[in-house]
Amino acid sequence: MNSQNIKLAKFAGFCYGVKRAVETAKKLKSENPDKEICVLGDLIHNMDVIQELDQIGIKTIYEIPQKGEGICVIRSHGEAPEVFEKLKKAGFEVVDMTCLDVKKVQQKAIELAQNEFFVVIVGKPNHPEVIAIKANAEQFTNKVLVATTVEEIKPFEKQIKEHKKVGVVVQTTQMLSTLNDIVTYLNSIAKEVLIHNTICQSTAMRQAEAKELAKESDLMIVVGSKKSANTTHLAEIIKDITKTIHIENDSELDNYSELLNTAQEIGITAGASTPQKIIDKVINELTKRKEK
């Protein structure tokens, strides 16, 4: 087993937007020790980080109370405009940590809606980022559709044909192949299709690098929450290239002992909401196994 190589992708772990949100929340608490600091929804899709924030007194709330106090942080996924209003009305000071790339998608969706396009959002309908993008567009039009497959758009084909102009934006962590499939279909039914490829640079680079690493590995390990869209997409993209396992942390490695023992070239990548210390623990555990 000593000939085993372990290689970590360069673009693994926290992206800029997540890092900024986590660091700002911690900074707000240290600068305002006597103030209540809370986050609306999980700050990032990683339970270790949520627990760490909780331990230093940053609470996660899932509903807006009638009366609130202190500072409420908007996570990197963003929120609907009415959520900002509700929080302010409840008495919170709002700190907006919406990722700047997500803000761009919201802005593009608003522009399309204002210019009377039928808006198609390529993304998962129940994902918080997509919910916020949709709510932003719906301030100006009721012609908004969320989909990740052509099948989900087909029931609206007649409406789209009648509308003629279609505008497309994409959830920042989506796969390019998903966008391409939908655009190809829309081009065949609409007179005019305006596409804003809003997959963020960090996601694009992470996916491209993971593919390259997968080509030279006989086992890929994707580290990160099963709830995280960008992490599950990473696993989906590379599973057709080489054997791939998706784990949340090092404790799951035992489930794959046989695969780990036989692999010679192991590649590791991680989602944008995976902390460095979780990645390090996985590498340490693999190195220990290798030395046995």
Side-chain angles (χ1 to χ4, degrees):
M1 259 192 80
N2 291 336
S3 61
Q4 189 181 64
N5 286 317
I6 299 164
K7 193 173 175 186
L8 174 67
K10 276 197 217 71
F11 300 106
F14 278 4
C15 64
Y16 160 76
V18 166
K19 192 166 185 271
R20 173 175 162 260
V22 173
E23 285 175 358
T24 304
K26 288 179 177 176
K27 191 164 175 257
L28 283 168
K29 188 64 195 171
S30 67
E31 287 173 358
N32 304 277
D34 303 329
K35 262 190 190 174
E36 289 279 334
I37 313 280
C38 67
V39 183
L40 182 60
D42 293 337
L43 184 63
I44 66 171
H45 284 142
N46 187 281
M47 282 325 290
D48 293 81
V49 175
I50 306 299
Q51 281 160 7
E52 188 190 329
L53 293 173
D54 190 60
Q55 278 157 10
I56 60 171
I58 300 168
K59 300 282 171 249
T60 303
I61 61 168
Y62 297 99
E63 278 174 19
I64 302 169
Q66 287 229 286
K67 192 150 173 38
E69 56 175 311
I71 299 169
C72 186
V73 176
I74 300 290
R75 57 193 174 169
S76 53
H77 299 112
E79 285 292 352
E82 63 262 28
V83 171
F84 283 84
E85 290 311 309
K86 273 187 191 167
L87 285 167
K88 284 172 189 163
K89 218 172 170 181
F92 287 106
E93 181 189 330
V94 179
V95 174
D96 186 4
M97 279 292 108
T98 305
C99 169
L100 301 178
D101 285 315
V102 174
K103 276 263 193 248
K104 269 184 222 161
V105 193
Q106 292 178 358
Q107 204 44 51
K108 293 291 181 198
I110 287 169
E111 283 167 25
L112 290 169
Q114 286 174 328
N115 289 301
E116 296 179 359
F117 279 82
F118 190 109
V119 182
V120 175
I121 302 166
V122 179
K124 294 188 171 165
N126 56 353
H127 191 280
E129 179 190 322
V130 176
I131 292 166
I133 295 164
K134 184 170 184 267
N136 272 280
E138 281 178 339
Q139 296 174 101
F140 306 98
T141 183
N142 59 0
K143 303 263 188 316
V144 184
L145 174 61
V146 177
T148 50
T149 64
V150 169
E151 277 60 47
E152 288 167 341
I153 302 175
K154 278 188 174 162
F156 303 90
E157 189 171 307
K158 189 169 174 285
Q159 266 177 275
I160 291 169
K161 277 180 177 169
E162 282 167 5
H163 202 80
K164 293 176 183 151
K165 297 201 307 183
V166 182
V168 181
V169 293
V170 200
Q171 182 183 357
T172 56
T173 52
Q174 265 301 328
M175 296 186 286
L176 189 58
S177 58
T178 304
L179 171 63
N180 289 341
D181 289 348
I182 286 175
V183 168
T184 303
Y185 167 68
L186 289 173
N187 275 327
S188 73
I189 63 165
K191 277 220 164 41
E192 182 187 339
V193 183
L194 178 56
I195 304 137
H196 293 297
N197 176 358
T198 48
I199 296 171
C200 81
Q201 199 51 36
S202 166
T203 298
M205 292 192 303
R206 193 184 302 260
Q207 291 179 357
E209 188 196 21
K211 277 187 194 171
E212 289 312 307
L213 188 52
K215 285 174 194 167
E216 54 194 56
S217 307
D218 44 28
L219 177 65
M220 279 294 287
I221 301 174
V222 179
V223 187
S225 169
K226 304 274 190 338
K227 268 191 189 173
S228 156
N230 78 84
T231 313
T232 49
H233 288 149
L234 272 178
E236 275 173 50
I237 284 166
I238 56 181
K239 74 175 178 355
D240 294 332
I241 302 171
T242 192
K243 265 196 202 87
T244 302
I245 60 174
H246 177 179
I247 59 170
E248 297 213 338
N249 53 43
D250 60 305
S251 68
E252 289 176 52
L253 286 170
D254 282 343
N255 304 337
Y256 302 99
S257 290
E258 202 175 316
L259 272 178
L260 294 168
N261 292 342
T262 52
Q264 290 301 301
E265 300 290 334
I266 297 179
I268 302 169
T269 185
S273 49
T274 309
Q276 189 59 44
K277 60 183 179 189
I278 288 182
I279 302 168
D280 291 342
K281 278 185 181 173
V282 169
I283 293 169
N284 289 342
E285 184 55 37
L286 288 171
T287 310
K288 262 194 250 166
R289 285 167 175 268
K290 181 181 159 183
E291 286 161 1
K292 275 179 189 170

